[in-house]
C-alpha cells in the first residue's frame, strides 16, 4: 500500500473514533467535547492492546506534524468579533493576556518544582 | 455544486499559506512567525483586502475544520508512548493544572470585574483557558455569550503562544513537565500544538494538562463565579 493511502485510511480511522466520541457526548449529554472523548477512547484501545500501534502510527504522525494547520479556520474566526475590542475593549485583550501569563507561569512553576523533587527522590 | 470551486481554491490557498508560514518559521525561528500566527494573520489580511467575510472563507475552511476533531484524537498516541513516565509524574501534572485552572478563572473574573465590564463579558472571559467547545458551554450556562467566549479562547491560545517565551523565561520553566503543564493549562490545544512541535514529551504533558483543565475549569467556574461576583 502506498504511503498516502495508508495515511488517508488511518486518518479515516481517527475520524471514526472522533464520531464515536461525539455520539457518546450527545447520548449522555456530556460537557466534554467528542474529540476529547475520542482521545480517551484511542488511549484506552492502545493501552488495552485492542488495537496495535501500527494501525495509527503514520496517520497520527501526519496529523501531529501539521497540528497547527487544522486550527487555522477556527483562529481566523476572530476577525468577525474584532469590534468587541474597539475603545475600552482593548483592555479585554490585555486582561486575557495577563491572566494567560499568570496561569502559564504559576501552573508550570508548581508542576516543575514537584517534578524535580520527585526526580531527586528517585536518584 | 457551485461552491465546489471556491471551496477547493480556499483549501489550496490555506495549504500554501501554511506551507509558506512553515518555511518562514523554520528560517527565522521567531515566535511571531509561528505558523499558526503567521497563517491566521495572512488569511485575515487577505480576506479584509478583498472584502470577503468569514462565512465565505468557511466555504473551504469548514473542510479543514472537520479534521480538527480527529487531530485532537491523534494526541492519544504520543500520550500512550510516554505513558510510564507520565504515570510517574501524574501528581505534579494534576497539582500544577489544578492551580492553573483556579488562577485562570479567578484572575479573568476579578480583572474584568475590576475594569468594570458587564456580566455578559465577564462570564464569557472566565473559561478562556480551555478548549473552545467546553469554554462555550461553560459560558452559556453561566450567562455569557458563546461566540465571545470563543474569541477569548483564541486570545488565550494565540496570545499564549506569542508570550510563552517571555513567561517561561520569567518563571524559569526549563523542564518539559513545567513547560507542558504551563502550555496546556493556559493555552489548551493551540498551546499543545506548539509544544508538540518542539518536543513530543512536552506536547504529551500539555495534552494531559489540556484535558484535565477542561474538566477542572468546568467544575470550578460555576462555584468561583458565584463566590466572586
Amino acid at each position: 500500500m502506498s504511503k498516502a493511502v495508508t495515511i488517508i485510511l488511518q486518518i479515516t480511522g481517527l475520524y471514526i473514533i472522533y464520531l464515536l466520541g461525539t455520539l457518546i457526548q450527545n447520548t449522555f449529554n456530556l460537557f466534554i467535547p467528542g474529540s476529547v472523548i475520542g482521545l480517551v477512547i484511542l488511549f484506552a484501545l492502545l493501552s488495552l492492546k485492542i488495537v496495535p500501534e501500527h494501525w495509527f502510527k503514520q496517520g497520527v504522525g501526519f496529523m501531529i506534524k501539521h497540528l497547527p494547520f487544522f486550527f487555522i479556520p477556527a483562529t481566523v474566526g476572530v476577525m468577525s468579533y474584532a469590534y468587541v475590542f474597539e475603545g475600552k475593549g482593548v483592555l479585554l485583550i490585555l486582561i486575557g493576556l495577563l491572566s494567560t501569563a499568570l496561569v502559564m507561569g504559576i501552573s508550570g512553576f508548581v508542576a516543575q518544582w514537584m517534578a524535580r523533587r520527585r526526580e531527586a527522590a528517585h536518584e | 455544486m457551485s461552491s465546489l470551486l471556491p471551496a477547493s481554491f480556499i483549501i489550496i490557498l490555506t495549504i500554501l499559506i501554511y506551507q509558506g508560514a512553515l518555511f518562514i518559521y523554520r528560517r527565522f525561528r521567531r515566535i511571531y512567525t509561528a505558523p499558526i500566527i503567521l497563517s491566521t494573520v495572512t488569511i485575515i489580511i487577505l480576506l479584509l483586502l478583498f472584502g470577503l467575510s468569514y462565512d465565505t472563507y468557511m466555504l473551504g475552511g469548514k473542510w479543514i475544520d472537520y479534521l480538527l476533531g480527529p487531530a485532537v484524537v491523534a494526541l492519544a498516541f504520543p500520550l500512550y508512548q510516554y505513558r510510564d513516565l507520565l504515570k510517574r509524574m501524574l501528581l505534579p501534572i494534576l497539582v500544577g493544572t489544578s492551580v492553573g485552572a483556579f488562577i485562570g478563572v479567578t484572575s479573568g473574573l476579578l480583572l474584568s470585574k475590576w475594569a468594570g465590564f458587564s456580566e455578559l463579558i465577564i462570564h464569557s472571559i472566565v473559561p478562556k483557558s480551555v478548549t473552545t467547545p467546553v469554554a462555550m458551554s461553560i459560558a452559556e450556562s453561566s450567562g455569557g455569550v458563546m461566540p465571545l467566549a470563543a474569541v477569548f479562547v483564541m486570545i488565550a491560545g494565540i496570545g499564549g503562544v506569542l508570550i510563552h517565551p517571555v513567561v517561561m523565561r520569567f518563571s524559569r520553566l526549563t523542564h518539559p513537565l513545567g513547560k507542558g503543564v504551563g502550555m496546556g493549562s493556559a493555552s489548551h490545544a493551540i498551546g499543545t500544538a506548539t509544544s508538540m512541535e518542539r518536543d513530543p514529551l512536552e506536547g504529551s504533558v500539555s495534552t494531559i494538562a489540556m484535558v484535565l483543565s477542561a474538566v477542572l475549569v468546568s467544575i470550578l467556574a460555576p462555584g468561583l463565579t458565584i463566590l466572586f461576583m
Side-chain angles (χ1 to χ4, degrees):
Chain A
M1 225 181 327
S2 83
K3 203 177 166 209
V5 177
T6 311
I7 289 177
I8 291 170
L9 277 176
Q10 295 190 350
I11 291 176
T12 312
L14 293 171
Y15 200 82
I16 292 170
I17 296 177
Y18 162 65
L19 288 180
L20 187 67
T22 313
L23 186 75
I24 292 174
Q25 185 203 2
N26 293 336
T27 312
F28 299 100
N29 242 326
L30 303 173
F31 64 86
I32 304 284
S35 57
V36 173
I37 297 172
L39 190 161
V40 176
I41 293 174
L42 179 57
F43 184 78
L45 289 175
L46 290 166
S47 299
L48 300 172
K49 311 277 179 208
I50 297 171
V51 298
E53 273 181 61
H54 71 258
W55 276 22
F56 291 101
K57 200 175 171 71
Q58 281 167 296
V60 162
F62 178 84
M63 291 301 254
I64 288 185
K65 193 173 165 208
H66 299 291
L67 204 52
F69 173 75
F70 302 106
F71 285 99
I72 294 174
T75 51
V76 172
V78 176
M79 68 179 281
S80 312
Y81 295 92
Y83 66 89
V84 177
F85 304 107
E86 281 168 12
K88 193 190 168 192
V90 179
L91 256 182
L92 288 171
I93 299 181
L94 293 176
I95 291 172
L97 288 177
L98 179 60
S99 170
T100 300
L102 288 172
V103 175
M104 191 182 289
I106 300 173
S107 68
F109 188 85
V110 170
Q112 179 170 290
W113 180 74
M114 287 181 70
R116 290 237 161 95
R117 276 179 53 128
R118 297 207 140 198
E119 282 173 349
H122 267 277
E123 274 155 19
Chain B
M1 287 245 288
S2 60
S3 69
L4 214 58
L5 198 66
S8 346
F9 179 73
I10 289 164
I11 295 170
I12 291 168
L13 194 71
T14 307
I15 293 175
L16 289 177
I17 290 172
Y18 172 73
Q19 289 293 344
L22 214 54
F23 176 77
I24 293 174
Y25 179 63
R26 285 187 182 143
R27 237 189 124 126
F28 296 100
R29 289 269 158 203
R30 290 278 177 275
I31 195 58
Y32 47 84
T33 64
I36 181 79
I37 291 168
L38 209 55
S39 313
T40 305
V41 171
T42 310
I43 291 169
I44 290 179
I45 290 175
L46 281 176
L47 291 173
L48 293 176
L49 220 56
F50 290 98
L52 297 169
S53 69
Y54 180 59
D55 289 339
T56 311
Y57 175 74
M58 283 311 272
L59 286 176
K62 70 175 179 202
W63 296 102
I64 301 169
D65 208 42
Y66 287 148
L67 288 171
L68 191 53
V72 171
V73 175
L75 290 170
F77 201 84
L79 211 63
Y80 170 74
Q81 289 177 310
Y82 287 107
R83 65 194 176 286
D84 293 330
L85 182 78
L86 296 172
K87 219 181 279 166
R88 216 166 51 235
M89 289 296 176
L90 196 60
L91 195 66
I93 298 174
L94 188 65
V95 174
T97 310
S98 307
V99 171
F102 179 82
I103 293 172
V105 171
T106 40
S107 64
L109 204 146
L110 293 177
L111 286 169
S112 53
K113 193 184 170 189
W114 170 70
F117 286 101
S118 68
E119 281 197 23
L120 205 83
I121 288 180
I122 298 174
H123 289 309
S124 310
I125 206 169
V126 160
K128 69 178 181 329
S129 62
V130 301
T131 185
T132 311
V134 179
M136 291 205 293
S137 65
I138 296 173
E140 194 196 21
S141 59
S142 61
V145 202
M146 283 168 60
L148 196 57
V151 175
F152 288 119
V153 172
M154 290 306 145
I155 291 180
I158 304 174
V161 170
L162 209 55
I163 62 176
H164 88 268
V166 179
V167 176
M168 286 185 176
R169 208 176 309 133
F170 187 78
S171 13
R172 303 211 179 91
L173 302 185
T174 46
H175 196 288
L177 219 112
K179 289 176 163 184
V181 167
M183 288 297 261
S185 302
S187 304
H188 44 87
I190 297 179
T192 301
T194 309
S195 285
M196 200 60 97
E197 211 170 20
R198 176 166 41 219
D199 169 16
L201 175 59
E202 184 192 322
S204 301
V205 174
S206 183
T207 305
I208 303 183
M210 166 190 100
V211 173
L212 283 176
S213 198
V215 177
L216 289 166
V217 172
S218 337
I219 298 168
L220 285 175
L224 289 173
T225 310
I226 295 169
L227 198 66
F228 288 115
M229 283 297 279

